[in-house]
Amino acid sequence: MFLNANEIREKVSPVDLLAHLGYTPAYKSGKELFYLSMLREEKTASLCVNEQLGIWYDHGGPNRSGIKGGNVIDLGLAYWFPLSFPEVLEKIKDTCSIEISKIPAQKELNQKARPRIAIKVPNYKIEEIKPLGSNPAINGYLQYRGVWETAAEHLKEIYYYVEDNKKNRKHFFAAGWKNENGGWEVRNKYFKGCLGKKGMSFIQGEENRLAVFEGYLDFLSWKHEQTLNKPTVLILNSLSFISAAIVRSSKFEAVDVFFDHDQSGRHATQQLLSAIPHAKDRSDIYASHKDYNEKHMAEKAELMGIRSTSDFFKSLKVGFSR
């Protein structure tokens, strides 16, 4: 039996958990509370909690877990890192002294095994597509994820708006890459989604060798470490494409798989390995991390820690505009 995660999210807010842990906000701005981050040492309050939405975001530097925001469970995963998901649920329950029902383990596992599908944005229109480099927010996001050096060849700046039923428009921008069905997979600091039809991404390389990734940021993190290694690359962009990925992968003599270390990622890995016996699970490269990008970010953070501040800022390639 597992604790009911949905019930925990409904009964406990990030503010509740922090209060029970002994943390109080440094100040309040509108509906947002700002705390000195308990995920690392800092002197300026950078961890923001939106009381109304029940979500948090850490505007400061990287922490051990690599988790930057989310709901109360995400906060628990970051605070009690590296405890497992079920262990963190128990911690939240005990810390906040609440009663939580349990659900059958198989049901929970089946729910976790379902493919994660990114949000498809309705009623949108792309206004402009530009090369990377002109938007400081996009630059900063890619630098934070550690993929700035490898992003320019593959990613663009996507500017779009979303229109509601009353014809009101909200304008957005994000880093994006085109999938093979013509849709744009978009990412920024706060959003992960798809503009248009979902699809995989295929990058031609060596004819007989294939590297398979869940997401583009994992691919860009992996590419940062490659020099002579130039296999063909398949990026699913969603684990809902695992069956199609198996068909595509079966045509290659060598297949390396780089999926996430979570329930869905492990399930997809086993599906692919069972269907293609000569495929290899390469996730041991980031054994102590959730995915390739998290490993890459951790290594970047460690490097930043041993370099001087002046050297680090000289290396930044952020374009600033007024």
Side-chain angles (χ1 to χ4, degrees), residues 140-198:
Y141 171 70
L142 295 175
Q143 287 179 327
Y144 163 69
R145 299 303 294 258
V147 298
W148 172 257
E149 293 85 352
T150 54
E153 180 183 352
H154 302 278
L155 272 59
K156 302 290 185 182
E157 293 177 2
I158 310 298
Y159 296 84
Y160 64 99
Y161 66 77
V162 176
E163 189 174 81
D164 63 21
N165 294 331
K166 296 181 180 179
K167 303 299 182 181
N168 296 317
R169 294 179 179 180
K170 289 187 177 182
H171 296 262
F172 303 93
F173 56 79
W177 56 92
K178 210 168 190 177
N179 63 47
E180 60 185 8
N181 289 329
W184 284 93
E185 308 290 337
V186 292
R187 302 287 186 278
N188 63 28
K189 187 176 180 180
Y190 306 103
F191 181 73
K192 172 183 179 180
C194 179
L195 305 178
K197 190 174 182 180
K198 287 290 296 180

Side-chain angles (χ1 to χ4, degrees), residues 4-42:
N4 190 322
N6 289 331
E7 190 176 342
I8 287 179
R9 284 192 291 266
E10 291 172 0
K11 289 186 174 181
V12 184
S13 71
V15 172
D16 294 333
L17 178 59
L18 291 174
H20 280 89
L21 289 170
Y23 297 101
T24 56
Y27 66 91
K28 182 175 183 179
S29 177
K31 297 178 181 178
E32 296 179 334
L33 299 174
F34 286 82
Y35 295 76
L36 286 170
S37 178
M38 64 295 307
L39 305 180
R40 71 181 169 279
E41 292 185 6
E42 67 175 8

Side-chain angles (χ1 to χ4, degrees), residues 287-317:
S288 60
H289 300 277
K290 176 180 175 290
D291 55 34
Y292 215 120
N293 182 243
E294 186 177 288
K295 163 188 171 291
H296 185 57
M297 291 172 63
E299 291 173 346
K300 282 273 189 177
E302 183 178 357
L303 181 62
M304 289 165 57
I306 62 176
R307 293 169 59 185
S308 69
T309 304
S310 60
D311 287 343
F312 169 66
F313 280 104
K314 287 178 183 178
S315 71
L316 288 180
K317 301 178 181 179

